[in-house]
Amino acid sequence: MEQVGLAAAASEVSLWSLFMQAGLVVKLVMIGLIGASVWTWAIVIDKYVSFNKAKRQFDQFEQVFWSGQSLEELYRTLSERQNNGLSAIFVAAMREWKKSFERGARAPIGLQMRIDRAMDVTMARESEAYEARLGSLATIGSAGPFIGLFGTVVGIMTSFQAIAGSKSTNLAVVAPGIAEALLATAIGLVAAIPAVIAYNKFTADAGKLSGRMEGFADEFSAILSRQIDEKLQPRQAAQ
């Protein structure tokens, strides 16, 4: 009879039954961790799609930019639509360039500083957009195991209370509480491990995109610096 009872208890130990048998605190921990896992995968999918799209846009812009097309023509084309990444830096620099010359800029150093500042501000805004929600992955990755461990501790305490109440150390009495406690830890790890991996990958990807933006900004700044000298030197010589 004891073996039959143990077999019946083992048959009832499923993930759903463990969840339903868990105490309120352990249930809340599990629900929170499941929600964190869903949020993690939503961020992963969004970042995977957006980063791949950004890389393609970077490649397309660099191909057009270095094809020899006129900067003025390229600016007119891009200024009519929403831009991001390299194209946003280019438009910001060209916009400051045109405003300064329309107002009769005469100081090369001041003009160069304003253009560089415009590119820096745009680059910071774009980098912030690429890094958005990565902090959530870091938080889930670091806190998930500890939250699951908290649920485990509560579940084990419940098991000990069941043992004390039944005055029996029979496996059928102990197993459900320990199983639900370990399930909380498992869910915590399921939420945390993908979050840590995704955080490391997407942080590296965001760093690569930021590096490409910085490299382009430096190269474009040098190009505009030469053109500033070509435009302002005749004015200064005439004066």
Side-chain angles (χ1 to χ4, degrees), residues 4 15 23 30 52 79 173 211 234:
V4 173
L15 295 180
M30 291 181 183
N52 283 341
S79 60
V173 176

Side-chain angles (χ1 to χ4, degrees), residues 106-238:
R106 297 184 179 181
I109 297 178
L111 175 55
Q112 186 70 50
M113 289 180 62
R114 288 193 299 273
I115 292 174
D116 290 342
R117 181 64 60 84
M119 288 194 292
D120 289 342
V121 170
T122 303
M123 188 161 43
R125 184 173 61 248
E126 294 297 316
S127 297
E128 184 178 355
Y130 294 137
E131 295 172 0
R133 295 185 298 279
L134 293 184
S136 298
L137 295 179
T139 301
I140 294 171
S142 60
F146 295 101
I147 297 174
L149 182 60
F150 170 74
T152 298
V153 172
V154 174
I156 291 176
M157 290 172 60
T158 303
S159 297
F160 286 149
Q161 290 173 352
I163 293 173
S166 64
K167 297 181 181 180
S168 172
T169 58
N170 193 308
L171 183 62
V173 176
V174 179
I178 294 178
E180 72 185 38
L182 295 177
L183 179 60
T185 299
I187 296 176
L189 294 176
V190 167
I193 292 174
V196 172
I197 295 173
Y199 174 77
N200 292 333
K201 180 189 185 312
F202 293 134
T203 299
D205 290 344
K208 291 178 182 178
L209 293 177
S210 297
R212 290 183 66 176
M213 289 190 295
E214 291 177 2
F216 171 77
D218 291 340
E219 291 177 329
F220 192 44
S221 178
I223 293 173
L224 292 181
S225 179
R226 288 191 294 269
Q227 295 203 7
I228 289 172
D229 292 340
E230 293 175 359
K231 287 181 175 293
L232 294 184
Q233 280 180 355
R235 293 185 183 180
Q236 294 174 348

Side-chain angles (χ1 to χ4, degrees), residues 27-44:
K27 281 183 179 178
L28 292 176
V29 168
M30 291 181 183
I31 292 173
L33 290 173
I34 292 172
S37 181
V38 172
W39 177 237
T40 294
W41 284 106
I43 295 174
V44 168

Side-chain angles (χ1 to χ4, degrees), residues 80-101:
E80 298 175 354
R81 64 190 188 193
Q82 184 177 2
N83 297 281
N84 49 52
L86 299 183
S87 59
I89 296 173
F90 170 81
V91 169
M94 289 297 295
R95 184 179 294 117
E96 183 60 37
W97 162 280
K98 293 181 70 66
K99 287 181 180 178
S100 297
F101 275 103

